[in-house]
Amino acid sequence: MTSFGGARTPGMVDWNLAVATATRLVRPGPEVGRDEAREIVAELRRHAKAAEEHVRAYTRMIPEGAEPHDTPVLVVDRAGWIKANVAGFRELLTPLLGKMRDRRQDTPGSAVLGAVGGKVTGVELGMLLSFLASRILGQYETFAPATRDLPTGTGGGGRLLLVAPNIVHVERELEVDPHDFRLWVCLHEETHRTQFTGVPWLRDHLQGEIQSFLAATDVDPGTVVERLREAAQTLAGGRPEAEEGEPAPSLVELVQTPEQREILGRLTAVMSLLEGHADYVMDGVGPQVVPSVAEIREKFQQRRARGASRLDLALRKLLGLDAKLRQYRDGERFVRAVVDQVGMDGFNRVWTSPNTLPTKSEIAAPADWIARVHRKADS
């Protein structure tokens, strides 16, 4: 197992224990024979390559003949997704955990942290990851460092993860054509890969925003651990849903400072753009290459909207995943409205610089973005 511990954040989170806990608790994937599993992996790799060509042609984000830094496509199981994401969390959260560690002796939360400790926090993080690991179909991982088992692209680029057991589980649950569904998923995830490989400044911009957000954190460390505990208890069945009239606050709702709220607004707008763009491209390319795309889209939207259970809905709220669902919907509407008005090349001005990214209010009012970016540039 790859080691995720280190001296930079001693005691706050036992990363190795988080991986071990999540791997032990994650649900087993669907039953698949060895030969069938090999065929699924090979097909996902073929679809990822085909999706790359389709997405580049449709989005026109990468000039013909240009070769951006390549990033690997990794078909992983649930344990592989867990390892990759723990590495990413550790990389991004190091500044916040260091700040919390420094405050540990001087805040009311110090007693809680002292009682809970890094090992228990690692267990609780592992419980959350075990829940998520059975639900993620694919992910473009932008920030995680390379490991022996999970390489990244050249020059510190990311990697595209396709979680094979989850894709098979959902295609069976929805009773859709498996070959069409696998390509459909690859189209969405490949769009994210194209966004980051085709826009060289995007990764550094996002990383800078996230680090600024974490640096501005002024949250009681005990409160953070308490929210983590609430989420873990929900998974364990000790808190299946919030008391009526007392909804569980999400981790995102721990934001307290005006500076953080401002940064979060910008991050929300960017994530809405990226997710909505991926959905728009997936739907735009789909009819050309995925014969049953209409059926897949309808069934998947129903699944996305309803969640798997009341437990699922409670955890969505606690983890802020309900906000992510809104990002898909609001972002897709923004992209569609802009492309309808100014065409794909006109929309692609959004990738010019951080200054041309839509604001949170512009996501809801695409005409305002068009007026700001196009009319100023064309006047």
Side-chain angles (χ1 to χ4, degrees):
M1 178 183 294
T2 303
S3 175
F4 297 103
R8 287 187 294 173
T9 55
M12 295 300 298
V13 179
D14 187 327
W15 298 106
N16 289 329
L17 187 56
V19 171
T21 300
T23 303
R24 185 176 69 253
L25 294 179
V26 71
R27 297 173 181 175
E31 291 187 11
V32 176
R34 182 173 299 179
D35 290 341
E36 184 183 3
R38 289 197 187 101
E39 292 174 3
I40 291 168
V41 170
E43 183 177 17
L44 285 171
R45 287 175 176 155
R46 290 195 305 272
H47 282 332
K49 183 61 179 176
E52 178 182 10
E53 298 174 3
H54 294 311
V55 169
R56 289 190 183 185
Y58 187 80
T59 64
R60 302 198 289 274
M61 289 179 63
I62 299 173
E64 189 174 348
E67 287 298 329
H69 291 303
D70 197 15
T71 53
V73 177
L74 306 177
V75 181
V76 298
D77 58 11
R78 291 170 176 175
W81 181 88
I82 289 167
K83 291 178 183 179
N85 277 266
V86 167
F89 282 145
R90 181 175 183 268
E91 189 77 6
L92 283 177
L93 292 178
T94 288
L96 174 62
L97 293 178
K99 185 175 182 178
M100 290 172 62
R101 182 195 61 219
D102 294 341
R103 293 182 55 187
R104 192 169 178 172
Q105 301 301 321
D106 303 320
T107 68
S110 61
V112 176
L113 281 173
V116 174
K119 289 190 178 299
V120 176
T121 308
V123 168
E124 292 171 338
L125 177 60
M127 292 175 73
L128 293 180
L129 287 170
S130 72
F131 168 80
L132 294 172
S134 63
R135 284 157 173 77
I136 303 297
L137 301 183
Q139 174 184 2
Y140 185 78
E141 238 199 346
T142 316
F143 306 114
T147 66
R148 183 180 61 184
D149 299 328
L150 296 164
T152 61
T154 57
R159 58 194 173 210
L160 178 60
L161 305 179
L162 298 171
V163 190
N166 298 347
I167 293 173
V168 173
H169 171 77
V170 173
E171 70 192 26
R172 290 179 178 179
E173 177 189 333
L174 298 182
E175 297 182 337
V176 294
D177 182 280
H179 309 293
D180 284 2
F181 184 76
R182 293 165 196 172
L183 177 54
W184 189 73
V185 170
C186 287
L187 289 171
H188 182 99
E189 302 308 331
E190 179 57 40
T191 302
H192 287 316
R193 186 165 172 248
T194 299
Q195 289 163 349
F196 283 93
T197 56
V199 185
W201 53 265
L202 184 57
R203 177 183 183 274
D204 290 342
H205 172 71
L206 268 180
Q207 187 170 32
E209 291 279 60
I210 292 170
Q211 294 303 337
S212 296
F213 178 86
L214 294 176
T217 296
D218 189 21
V219 176
D220 168 30
T223 304
V224 175
V225 172
E226 184 60 29
R227 292 295 179 268
L228 193 61
R229 176 180 290 169
E230 288 175 0
Q233 288 174 346
T234 301
L235 283 174
R239 193 176 188 274
E241 57 182 328
E243 297 294 331
E244 186 175 354
E246 298 180 6
S250 74
L251 297 178
V252 173
E253 289 170 347
L254 291 174
V255 173
Q256 292 181 341
T257 70
E259 183 182 359
Q260 277 190 303
R261 285 193 288 271
E262 183 179 338
I263 297 170
L264 185 61
R266 295 197 298 267
L267 282 170
T268 299
V270 174
M271 297 312 297
S272 296
L273 170 69
L274 298 180
E275 295 294 355
H277 183 236
D279 266 11
Y280 177 82
V281 172
M282 180 171 61
D283 287 346
V285 175
Q288 305 168 36
V289 297
V290 181
S292 59
V293 65
E295 177 192 2
I296 291 172
R297 183 63 159 155
E298 180 181 0
K299 289 183 175 180
F300 192 79
Q301 284 289 74
Q302 291 172 355
R303 181 183 187 273
R304 182 188 273 177
R306 68 175 181 264
S309 64
R310 296 174 72 187
L311 172 63
D312 209 28
L313 294 173
L315 278 163
R316 279 185 184 182
K317 170 63 179 173
L318 192 58
L319 299 175
L321 297 182
D322 51 346
K324 186 174 179 65
L325 297 179
R326 290 194 297 273
Q327 288 172 4
Y328 285 104
R329 183 181 63 246
D330 297 344
E332 196 274 341
R333 280 201 297 253
F334 170 84
V335 176
R336 184 172 301 280
V338 172
V339 174
D340 285 348
Q341 288 293 313
V342 297
M344 184 64 75
D345 291 333
F347 165 79
N348 281 340
R349 288 193 187 181
V350 78
W351 313 116
T352 304
S353 76
N355 293 329
T356 56
L357 291 171
T359 63
K360 188 176 180 181
S361 63
E362 287 171 342
I363 287 288
D368 292 348
W369 180 85
I370 294 172
R372 177 172 67 86
V373 173
H374 278 265
R375 292 173 191 167
K376 278 187 178 180
D378 296 339
S379 60

